[in-house]
Amino acid sequence: MVSSDFVKQWQGYGLTTAEILYRLPDHPSLLQSYFWQEYDLAPNFPVLVRFLDFWRDRLEGGLHSVRVAHCGLIKPAEYRAVDGIIRLN
């Protein structure tokens, strides 16, 4: 059986990591960081947007900023041209 994460990668999803800075409800001048990681589609990031909407609707800590990194894990094979032939005797 194939992993659901592997299927997502074939559908174009890539591993996405977001660093979310938010304000503490009791001390709004202090920032706390939260790291979120999931497979998502760049550049619109619908899974991340859904999570941030949930955060805004249900959690008390106000969002300050979000920094996103994305990487497609399945990529075409790299091809390198060879300038010559090496002969081994």
Side-chain angles (χ1 to χ4, degrees), residues 6-84:
F6 185 74
V7 172
K8 283 183 178 181
Q9 290 176 47
W10 277 110
Q11 294 171 343
Y13 284 73
L15 189 61
T16 303
T17 304
E19 179 187 18
I20 301 167
L21 292 179
Y22 64 97
R23 298 188 186 282
L24 294 175
D26 296 339
H27 304 283
S29 61
L30 295 177
L31 293 175
Q32 180 78 26
S33 66
Y34 177 81
F35 283 89
W36 174 91
Q37 193 170 53
E38 186 65 57
Y39 287 99
D40 207 350
L41 289 168
N44 296 330
F45 302 106
V47 179
L48 176 60
V49 168
R50 207 168 29 247
F51 176 75
L52 293 175
D53 288 342
F54 167 81
W55 185 299
R56 275 190 288 265
D57 294 342
R58 305 251 168 92
L59 301 178
E60 293 182 22
L63 295 172
H64 177 270
S65 61
V66 178
R67 188 165 49 170
V68 179
H70 178 268
C71 178
L73 295 179
I74 296 180
K75 301 176 185 170
E78 291 184 17
Y79 172 78
R80 293 187 325 181
V82 177
D83 291 333

